[in-house]
Amino acid sequence: MSLVTDVAAADSTRALAHFSAMLEWETDCWDVHDAISSGQQDFVLLDVRSHALYDAGHVPGAISLPHKKIIAGTMKKFPEGSLFVVYCAGPHCNGAIRAAIRLAELGLPVKTMPGGITGWLDKGFALEKANTTGAESI
């Protein structure tokens, strides 16, 4: 018996509930890219890394808001009911989780994009640099 099968898989009903629920908390780079490129971006995309990292390259249409700066006053700048999608450097970085916690503490809807910059680049998508069309920092 391998370590993979040492613990039995959940039954299908529990697996369905678990994996379906994951989509309430996460989205992936492909879906974000599709929404942006099709003009259907119905969420606020936050790059929660430092402003310097954002300036060096970020997902097009993202707003720079380092996770430590997510506070009630700052978030009032966004329309009520906005869904926030947060990302950081990638799966080796917990900045997106920290940002998601801050947003949830403020009662705001949030999803993470777990792949972050690494996942974005892995999909072959381009980054944009600061001072280009649409680049914004808060």
Side-chain angles (χ1 to χ4, degrees):
M1 182 175 286
S2 74
L3 293 176
V4 173
T5 59
D6 187 39
V7 175
D11 66 64
S12 296
T13 301
R14 289 181 54 222
L16 177 61
H18 171 79
F19 294 118
S20 295
M22 285 179 69
L23 295 177
E24 294 177 38
W25 294 299
E26 325 182 322
T27 189
D28 67 9
C29 298
W30 187 270
D31 291 344
V32 170
H33 181 270
D34 182 66
I36 293 168
S37 62
S38 68
Q40 297 178 349
Q41 185 175 342
D42 51 0
F43 53 90
V44 177
L45 184 61
L46 297 178
D47 183 319
V48 300
R49 302 171 303 145
S50 70
H51 290 307
L53 289 173
Y54 172 87
D55 289 348
H58 58 273
V59 174
I63 297 168
S64 178
L65 182 58
H67 65 83
K68 291 182 180 179
K69 296 186 181 214
I70 295 175
I71 58 173
T74 301
M75 302 318 294
K76 288 181 182 177
K77 297 176 182 179
F78 298 98
E80 187 174 331
S82 294
L83 168 64
F84 295 92
V85 174
V86 296
Y87 73 87
C88 58
H92 55 282
C93 175
N94 67 9
I97 298 301
R98 292 178 185 276
I101 290 168
R102 286 177 172 266
L103 290 163
E105 287 173 340
L106 293 171
L108 300 170
V110 60
K111 290 186 177 193
T112 62
M113 186 178 82
I117 291 293
T118 301
W120 191 264
L121 293 171
D122 284 351
K123 294 287 185 190
F125 302 142
L127 297 177
E128 74 178 11
K129 297 190 185 293
N131 300 321
T132 60
T133 305
E136 181 178 352
S137 295
I138 294 180

